[in-house]
Amino acid sequence: MSDHLRKASPILLSIAIFLVSINLRPAVAAIGPLVSKIIGDTGINSTAVGLLTMIPVFLMGVGAIYVRQVRAALGERGGIALGVLIVAGSSIARYWLPSGSGLLVTAAAAGIGITLVQSLMPGFAKRNFGSSTSRVIGLYSTGIVVGASIAAGTAAGISDAIGWSGTLAAWSAPAIVAVLLWGVSSRHAASERVVNAPIAGARSPSFWRNARCWSLMIFFGVGTGAFMLAMAWIPPFYLEQGVGRGNAGLLLSVLTVIEAVTALGVAAFIHHFPDRRGPLVFSLLVTALGFVVLHGWPVELAHAAMALLGVGIGILFPLSIIVAIDHIDDPTTAGNFTSFVQGGGYILASFVPLFAGAARDSLSDLSRVWLVMAVGSLAMIVLAVRYSPESYRRFSTSLRQASTFGVAEVTRY
């Protein structure tokens, strides 16, 4: 843990990170339970609804690729604060723009805000928490799932009182609270800003040329795609099965609550598993089984399907970030690397809910989508078994050997 964090407050900063992360999914997760109302009021189709999920996730990916430029321009601390403010602004704007085009514009804005936070937070966490980074990332991932859970579980009920646009706009309030606490708690934390002073004999590593980088990107994309697919389409799927709107949203809430508890368990116990392959393979098997149950017995075993998906995705999502961070020790390089992995992964994942929406329009059914995701989850085991601790060291060594000129960091506290 850094000296600068001791000057701040590790507990207060951890709470702030958790509160910030809560605001990173409601813009997507609250849409699913409100689909029937949104379609009825705006006249958009299922493909357009898929775009409401795709656009933020796609922008998360594009923005993450440019994390170095974002860090240089805004710094980690300032960039995260700006990102949360943009999320707050895009949420409140949905009250004033309750149309199909308005939803698409605010979805894009929310995606930009979320991108800033997600691109900068891993490097910030590694810089300040050192050996405790995996726990903090687990807490951060838990907050993401908690926010999704609350948004999904409360959307239907709140919309009965204040309408769907008011429900979406209400998420500006916790975002404002989070950014205020962030400003106070991170004031004395280490926060890099500029990375541009050349050092002879070293250069920034080229992630594009390394097969392990692409492997981790694809792995993260499939895991995140499963998460986003569940957020966007489980409530509409259950509406098609004759389940009431409130119960359909409640099922998604059950799934995300289980995800949150599981992700919190990952944060608490992951240090007992320096070799992450066992938990990774377990999560992929459970996730695949959840999608199979969702396909074969969606109503009869609805809660079993939600439990399986909650446990599987609850392990897979934070671990896919932690495994990427494990590969590199240097905080700046780790931040750049995780942004590369998340950037490409989010771009891949963004097409999953769009594909599901198009399938729903053409086939009037989502059952085949669940099977596709089950097969994709099982296929990822081939990659997961290769992520040994020894492979991290080989990867880190290969990056250092590939560097011939580089950049020195200038840190702003």
Side-chain angles (χ1 to χ4, degrees):
M1 190 173 295
S2 75
D3 293 337
H4 300 283
L5 187 56
R6 294 189 186 98
K7 294 178 182 178
S9 167
I11 295 176
L12 187 61
L13 187 58
S14 297
I15 293 172
I17 289 173
F18 180 77
L19 291 180
V20 165
S21 66
I22 282 177
N23 294 279
L24 301 183
R25 289 300 179 272
V28 174
I31 296 292
L34 304 176
V35 161
S36 58
K37 286 189 173 184
I38 292 173
I39 290 177
D41 289 350
T42 64
I44 61 177
N45 60 16
S46 296
T47 302
V49 171
L51 281 171
L52 295 180
T53 301
M54 178 196 176
I55 289 174
V57 180
F58 184 84
L59 289 175
M60 291 178 209
V62 172
I65 293 173
Y66 293 97
V67 63
R68 299 179 192 182
Q69 293 88 336
V70 171
R71 185 190 292 115
L74 302 172
E76 289 167 342
R77 178 174 177 262
I80 291 169
L82 178 60
V84 182
L85 283 174
I86 292 174
V87 170
S90 62
S91 297
I92 194 66
R94 285 179 157 175
Y95 184 79
W96 305 106
L97 300 170
S99 63
S101 59
L103 284 172
L104 292 173
V105 169
T106 53
I112 293 170
I114 295 167
T115 291
L116 292 176
V117 177
Q118 291 187 165
S119 299
L120 299 172
M121 189 64 81
F124 179 88
K126 188 151 188 114
R127 190 180 314 285
N128 285 280
F129 289 91
S131 61
S132 299
T133 299
S134 61
R135 294 185 183 182
V136 175
I137 291 297
L139 183 67
Y140 164 74
S141 301
T142 300
I144 291 177
V145 178
V146 167
S149 174
I150 296 172
T154 61
I158 295 176
S159 68
D160 290 337
I162 62 175
W164 63 264
S165 60
T167 302
L168 298 178
W171 277 96
S172 60
I176 292 171
V177 172
V179 78
L180 291 175
L181 181 60
W182 175 259
V184 173
S185 65
S186 64
R187 183 172 51 186
H188 298 296
S191 176
E192 181 194 77
R193 176 160 189 165
V194 183
V195 185
N196 58 6
I199 294 178
R203 66 176 173 83
S204 182
S206 178
F207 302 128
W208 295 96
R209 299 178 181 179
N210 192 293
R212 174 54 63 90
C213 298
W214 287 93
S215 169
L216 288 165
M217 178 195 296
I218 293 170
F219 190 87
F220 181 81
V222 171
T224 304
F227 180 80
M228 293 300 176
L229 179 65
M231 292 295 99
W233 288 112
I234 279 182
F237 174 71
Y238 274 103
L239 289 175
E240 294 170 353
Q241 305 300 314
V243 176
R245 187 167 56 88
N247 288 332
L250 183 60
L251 282 172
L252 179 57
S253 185
V254 168
L255 184 154
T256 51
V257 166
I258 295 172
E259 284 180 350
V261 173
T262 304
L264 192 59
V266 171
F269 297 107
I270 192 58
H271 62 286
H272 293 299
F273 298 91
D275 188 338
R276 321 292 194 193
R277 289 177 293 178
L280 280 176
V281 171
F282 174 78
S283 68
L284 290 165
L285 289 172
V286 173
T287 300
L289 181 58
F291 281 120
V292 169
V293 172
L294 194 59
H295 172 266
W297 307 272
V299 177
E300 302 90 335
L301 298 178
H303 288 91
M306 298 304 102
L308 288 167
L309 290 173
V311 171
I313 298 173
I315 298 173
L316 182 60
F317 181 68
L319 263 189
S320 62
I321 302 174
I322 291 170
V323 167
I325 292 177
D326 284 342
H327 278 72
I328 297 177
D329 293 328
D330 176 67
T332 300
T333 306
N336 292 338
F337 177 57
T338 55
S339 292
F340 172 86
V341 169
Q342 290 184 74
Y346 277 122
I347 290 173
L348 293 174
S350 69
F351 288 94
V352 175
L354 181 64
F355 164 75
R360 186 172 184 254
D361 280 335
S362 60
L363 302 174
S364 299
D365 183 29
L366 286 166
S367 295
R368 296 180 187 178
V369 176
W370 309 136
L371 282 183
V372 170
M373 286 307 301
V375 172
S377 299
L378 292 175
M380 289 302 100
I381 294 176
V382 176
L383 298 181
V385 296
R386 298 173 63 86
Y387 299 153
S388 67
E390 177 58 32
S391 73
Y392 306 163
R393 290 186 284 272
R394 291 196 301 268
F395 172 79
S396 183
T397 300
S398 70
L399 286 187
R400 286 196 299 269
Q401 290 175 346
S403 298
T404 54
F405 346 83
V407 294
E409 64 182 60
V410 178
T411 305
R412 185 190 68 180
Y413 302 107

